[in-house]
């Protein structure tokens, strides 16, 4: 079976009024199924850019992004969107939940967009939210949930379509230490249960140490450890 995600020689250069600004200078990275990898980088080093490229939200200036054996650069915009919708799950530092919809509905909607029936989507949403300890909060709007609960809903939403790849950008960075620890443990447990390949950016060395492997982004390249 192909590795879910492979980056080969990926470069990203931003054009500014002052000239070219190289952010990624040749990133090589492979994620295996079921592997949880910590991405550690100083602020401004390009970790968000790397996650956007891995998630097909941006295109590299050079190099290859290979998702489930398919070279993303050869795909149409519609094909890239379809891969993002089903194969890749995203979790951000801020939850970005839809405020007018309940916790359950926030997890149901991406499934229905992907073509799942409402009944099946609701069953899957309940299963995930229960795994995150939210079975008593299904009908609550995001504004009635704590910060930690909102982020748990966001993680459940990211996993709703059974992605093979999960990309997370500081998923607990907006939470206090105690809440962050609980949310992160729930994230790791659920990702492992589903056999997802996960790349999780974090500044927290304690959280990074709980993952299977740590890679560091520095000077535009990735190094292990």
């Amino acid at each position: 079976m192909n590795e879910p995600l492979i980056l080969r020689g990926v470069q990203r250069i931003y054009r500014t009024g002052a000239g070219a600004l190289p952010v990624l200078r040749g990133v090589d990275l492979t994620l295996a199924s079921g592997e949880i990898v910590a991405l550690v980088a100083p602020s401004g080093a390009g970790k968000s850019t790397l996650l956007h490229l891995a998630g097909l939200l941006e295109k590299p200036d050079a190099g290859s992004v290979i998702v489930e054996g398919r070279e993303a650069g050869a795909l149409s915009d519609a094909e890239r969107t379809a891969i993002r919708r089903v194969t890749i799950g995203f979790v951000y530092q801020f939850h970005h939940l839809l405020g007018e919809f309940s916790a359950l509905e926030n997890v149901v909607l991406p499934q229905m967009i992907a073509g799942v029936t409402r009944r099946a989507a609701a069953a899957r949403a309940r299963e995930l939210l229960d795994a995150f300890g939210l079975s008593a909060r299904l009908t609550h709007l995001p504004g009635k949930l704590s910060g930690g609960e909102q982020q748990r809903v966001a993680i459940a939403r990211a996993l709703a379509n059974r992605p093979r790849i999960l990309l997370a950008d500081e998923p607990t960075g907006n939470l206090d230490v105690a809440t962050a620890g609980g949310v992160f443990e729930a994230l790791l447990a659920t990702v492992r249960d589903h056999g997802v390949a996960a790349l999780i950016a974090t500044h927290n060395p304690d959280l990074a140490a709980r993952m299977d492997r740590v890679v560091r982004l520095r000077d535009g390249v990735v190094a292990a450890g």
Side-chain angles (χ1 to χ4, degrees):
M1 181 180 291
N2 293 316
E3 304 290 9
L5 179 65
I6 301 172
L7 278 63
R8 291 180 180 158
V10 167
Q11 298 180 30
R12 188 70 172 96
I13 302 168
Y14 292 111
R15 310 294 172 180
T16 71
L21 176 64
V23 177
L24 303 179
R25 301 171 183 267
V27 168
D28 294 305
L29 179 65
T30 299
L31 288 187
S33 295
E35 182 182 37
I36 303 174
V37 177
L39 175 63
V40 178
S43 296
K47 61 179 174 52
S48 293
T49 296
L50 175 55
L51 290 171
H52 287 170
L53 290 167
L56 310 187
L57 294 170
E58 296 183 33
K59 293 184 178 181
D61 294 293
S64 299
V65 178
I66 302 167
V67 178
E68 294 197 296
R70 303 176 73 189
E71 163 56 65
L75 302 177
S76 67
D77 287 343
E79 289 172 319
R80 290 164 64 90
T81 297
I83 289 175
R84 284 197 305 270
R85 183 178 296 144
V86 177
T87 304
I88 302 171
F90 295 90
V91 184
Y92 297 99
Q93 180 174 343
F94 298 96
H95 54 77
H96 300 301
L97 298 176
L98 299 173
E100 66 272 30
F101 293 101
S102 69
L104 183 71
E105 291 166 338
N106 266 281
V107 184
V108 164
L109 283 170
Q111 298 178 75
M112 294 185 65
I113 290 170
V116 178
T117 66
R118 178 179 287 276
R119 174 178 288 186
R124 170 70 172 163
R126 288 190 182 93
E127 172 192 327
L128 284 167
L129 292 169
D130 181 61
F132 282 106
L134 294 171
S135 57
R137 313 289 276 171
L138 300 181
T139 60
H140 288 64
L141 296 178
K144 299 297 184 180
L145 301 174
S146 70
E149 288 171 337
Q150 290 173 9
Q151 195 64 325
R152 287 171 190 256
V153 175
I155 296 168
R157 179 183 59 186
L159 294 169
N161 284 325
R162 294 181 171 83
R164 289 201 66 209
I165 301 163
L166 180 74
L167 303 173
D169 194 356
E170 298 284 354
T172 60
N174 195 40
L175 304 174
D176 62 74
V177 174
T179 302
V183 170
F184 195 76
E185 284 303 322
L187 169 61
L188 291 185
T190 306
V191 166
R192 287 198 169 102
D193 284 347
H194 288 74
V196 178
L199 181 62
I200 302 176
T202 181
H203 280 106
N204 188 321
D206 293 331
L207 297 184
R210 300 185 202 179
M211 297 186 234
D212 301 323
R213 178 160 59 99
V214 178
V215 297
R216 299 184 184 278
L217 179 60
R218 185 179 295 114
D219 298 326
V221 297
V222 162

